[in-house]
């Protein structure tokens, strides 16, 4: 058997595990993670930052606060 890593290199005798999670589980998990473990980008206010989210998501997330709040403030006000 030949297993392929993410870099495209083949390795003999390997097993591949593919995990699938429901989108709702990912959202709840991320919400809990970011409330417990703070990262520097979560405090950005000018401009607010959602770490590589697309423009439509950015507008949806920060539009309620007039684009004057941090990601962490949005999370805290969501619960």
């Amino acid at each position: 058997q030949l297993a392929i890593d993410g870099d495209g290199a083949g390795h003999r005798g390997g097993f591949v595990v593919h995990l699938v999670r429901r989108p709702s589980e990912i959202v709840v998990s991320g919400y809990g993670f970011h409330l417990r473990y703070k990262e520097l980008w979560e405090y950005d206010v000018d401009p607010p930052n959602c770490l590589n989210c697309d423009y439509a998501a950015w507008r949806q997330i920060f539009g309620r606060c007039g684009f004057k709040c941090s990601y962490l403030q949005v999370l805290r006000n969501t619960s």
Side-chain angles (χ1 to χ4, degrees):
Q1 288 185 339
L2 184 65
I4 305 296
D5 278 349
D7 62 1
H11 302 279
R12 297 232 173 259
F15 290 96
V16 175
V17 177
H18 180 89
L19 301 175
V20 178
R21 293 174 68 187
R22 291 191 323 223
S24 59
E25 290 176 348
I26 295 170
V27 170
V28 171
S29 175
Y31 174 79
F33 175 86
H34 288 289
L35 286 179
R36 283 189 299 276
Y37 305 102
K38 309 304 185 273
E39 299 182 59
L40 291 178
W41 65 267
E42 295 177 346
Y43 296 94
D44 292 346
V45 177
D46 189 21
N49 188 351
C50 51
L51 194 61
N52 298 323
C53 63
D54 62 27
Y55 183 69
W58 181 83
R59 289 187 55 79
Q60 185 70 31
I61 293 168
F62 298 110
R64 291 181 170 175
C65 68
F67 307 98
K68 299 198 182 299
C69 59
S70 70
Y71 185 79
L72 194 54
Q73 289 170 321
V74 170
L75 283 183
R76 288 182 178 153
N77 291 329
T78 300
S79 59

